């Protein structure tokens, strides 16, 4: 039997069957969060029905069973990222917490006055603000790679920024505001040549293309489960084991220690050293189900499907007079960011919502991108495996309607 088309897997997502504002839902806000297939919803609720217990410390059967499931989930994340070892995977609340972990643990231990952190002009706030906080304490300086008009990184400027003071490069794999897929492998190579470490923010990448941290050669890689069809409140940090072993804890509490005494405490080995307190056990198990789900469809198939949809949608919106795409790099993931003459992105979002089309409007937590392009925000449609041409048609029709309402386009 042949495999169904990728978009046919929409039937696995119960929420997509519910009408919104009396219409078929065209959900194009996947950059913010994706919906969950039945397999993920079921895995989480089955955990609570059949396997719930706290992990790692229990002598009883259920606790050991829950621990096994949680550690199997870590193994699934290892597989997703192509890491060499499961103990290189630390569970976090998501990308934001993973980056903060690196900033507060590795950053505070390694950054010195005069050191430089290289960021790019298209980082999400979660890959800017933690570095500002830590750089301020350490006396380190932040340098920023500028963007071209099409929303690509200026690699010549990047190379020129790198030098003996560069301690860390933190770069987004796929920009949530522009859709640009950055040449991270090459950037990592260049950073390593000057002895810098590299953190890759993979929040918008892992659900949309296969990722292999060993092939990339990165030192740290962060992502969120909820953008990968998994639950909210769970994500992971990959870090090379020799780095993790040398890193101090950043949060203290149960499970991250070896011994505790008032005279001083000693730490558990990684990854436990970085997982203080009771983690999101059910979330990790739901994330494992999400990883199995995308693996069964195939991440390369998903990438190809979203790419075809992006090309179709790009051609369709480019025909709309008065619409300008923000982010036109040749290497793009399924994200369309745009502005429409005379219509504020928020108004556009509200009108589209009335048509059952869910998009995002605003700065997308990437204010420096908006400043670079001289705009307050954009409207953003972002694709997932379950989207198809009907969603694009609903988007295009909705934009036309908004233009008519704003008197920006003659009635036909
Ligand atoms: N980085 C990028 C590129 C993102 O798009 C996002 C979320 O939109 C984040 C980081 C933060 O992810 P989270 O809020 O799941 O921690």
């Amino acid at each position: 039997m042949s495999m169904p088309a990728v978009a046919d897997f929409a039937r696995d997502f119960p929420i997509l069957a519910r009408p919104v504002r009396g219409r078929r839902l065209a959900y194009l806000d996947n950059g913010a969060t994706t919906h969950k297939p039945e397999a993920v919803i079921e895995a989480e609720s089955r955990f609570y029905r059949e396997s719930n217990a706290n992990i790692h410390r229990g002598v009883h059967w259920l606790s050991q069973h829950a621990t096994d499931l949680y550690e199997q989930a870590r193994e699934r994340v290892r597989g997703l990222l192509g890491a060499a070892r499961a103990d290189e995977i630390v569970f976090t609340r998501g990308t934001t917490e993973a980056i903060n972990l690196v900033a507060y643990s590795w950053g505070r231990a390694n950054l010195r006055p005069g050191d430089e952190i290289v960021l790019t002009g298209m980082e999400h706030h979660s890959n800017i603000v933690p570095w500002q906080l830590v750089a301020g304490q350490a006396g380190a300086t932040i340098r920023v790679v500028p963007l071209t008009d099409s929303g690509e990184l200026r690699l010549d400027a990047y190379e020129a920024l790198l030098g003996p003071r560069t301690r860390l490069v933190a770069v987004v794999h796929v920009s949530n505001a522009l859709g640009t897929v950055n040449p991270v492998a090459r950037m990592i190579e260049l950073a390593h040549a000057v002895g810098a470490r590299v953190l890759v923010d993979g929040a918008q990448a892992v659900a949309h293309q296969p990722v292999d941290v060993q092939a990339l050669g990165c030192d740290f890689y962060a992502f969120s489960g909820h953008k990968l069809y998994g639950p909210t409140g769970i994500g992971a940090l990959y870090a090379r084991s020799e780095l993790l072993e040398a890193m101090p804890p950043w949060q203290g509490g149960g499970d991250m220690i070896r011994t505790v005494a008032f005279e001083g405490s000693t730490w558990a080995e990684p990854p436990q050293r970085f997982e203080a307190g009771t983690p999101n056990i059910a979330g990790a198990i739901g994330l494992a189900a999400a990883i199995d789900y995308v693996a069964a469809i195939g991440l390369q198939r998903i990438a190809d499907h979203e790419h075809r949809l992006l090309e179709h949608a790009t051609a369709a919106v480019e025909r709309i007079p008065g619409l300008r795409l923000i982010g036109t790099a040749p290497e793009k993931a399924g994200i369309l960011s745009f502005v429409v003459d005379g219509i504020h992105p928020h108004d556009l979002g509200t009108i589209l919502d009335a048509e059952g089309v869910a998009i995002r409007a605003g700065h997308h937590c990437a204010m420096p991108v908006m400043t670079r392009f001289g705009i307050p925000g954009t409207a953003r449609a972002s694709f997932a495996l379950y989207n198809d041409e009907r969603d694009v048609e609903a988007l295009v029709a909705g934009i036309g309607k908004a233009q008519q309402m704003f008197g920006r386009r003659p009635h036909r």
Side-chain angles (χ1 to χ4, degrees), residues 31-32 93-97 99 122-127 172-177 201-204 223-227 364-365 380:
R93 283 194 296 123
T95 309
T96 302
E97 190 175 68
I99 296 171
M122 64 170 88
E123 297 311 312
H124 188 278
H125 297 167
S126 61
N127 204 21
V172 70
H173 198 166
V174 175
S175 159
N176 67 312
D201 169 355
Q204 298 293 342
F223 77 95
S224 303
H226 69 100
K227 295 182 197 283
H364 317 298
C365 297
R380 183 188 74 185

Side-chain angles (χ1 to χ4, degrees), residues 31 120 122-124 151 153 171-184 200-211 221-222 227 306 310 331-335 380 382:
T120 84
M122 64 170 88
E123 297 311 312
H124 188 278
L153 294 177
V171 56
V172 70
H173 198 166
V174 175
S175 159
N176 67 312
L178 300 164
T180 312
V181 181
N182 286 317
V184 285
V200 180
D201 169 355
Q204 298 293 342
V206 289
H208 308 286
Q209 62 176 79
V211 168
Y221 196 96
K227 295 182 197 283
E306 291 177 6
L310 175 73
E331 291 295 323
K332 270 188 73 175
I335 290 175
R380 183 188 74 185
S382 48

Side-chain angles (χ1 to χ4, degrees), residues 8-18 34-47 49 228-231 282 285-294 297 385-386:
D8 290 344
F9 287 95
R11 62 177 174 241
D12 294 340
F13 294 75
I15 204 168
L16 295 176
R18 69 160 296 175
T34 54
H35 289 308
K36 321 304 170 200
E38 194 63 64
V40 168
I41 299 167
E42 175 55 25
E44 250 205 273
S45 67
R46 192 169 55 239
F47 171 74
R49 278 199 307 273
L228 176 71
Y229 312 102
I285 287 157
L287 173 58
I291 293 170
D292 290 348
Y293 182 81
V294 291
I297 300 174
L385 68 92
Y386 38 67

Side-chain angles (χ1 to χ4, degrees), residues 83-155:
R85 296 161 45 168
D87 60 12
E88 295 181 314
I89 305 297
V90 181
F91 279 119
T92 64
R93 283 194 296 123
T95 309
T96 302
E97 190 175 68
I99 296 171
N100 275 275
L101 190 168
V102 179
Y104 282 92
S105 171
W106 181 89
R108 280 205 295 214
N110 288 283
L111 294 170
R112 303 274 172 270
D115 283 351
E116 292 179 356
I117 301 169
V118 174
L119 306 179
T120 84
M122 64 170 88
E123 297 311 312
H124 188 278
H125 297 167
S126 61
N127 204 21
I128 300 174
V129 182
W131 301 116
Q132 289 176 326
L133 294 170
V134 171
Q137 288 170 4
T141 310
I142 290 175
R143 314 287 303 271
V144 183
V145 185
L147 309 184
T148 66
D149 289 344
S150 61
E152 289 177 273
L153 294 177
R154 283 207 19 220
L155 283 189

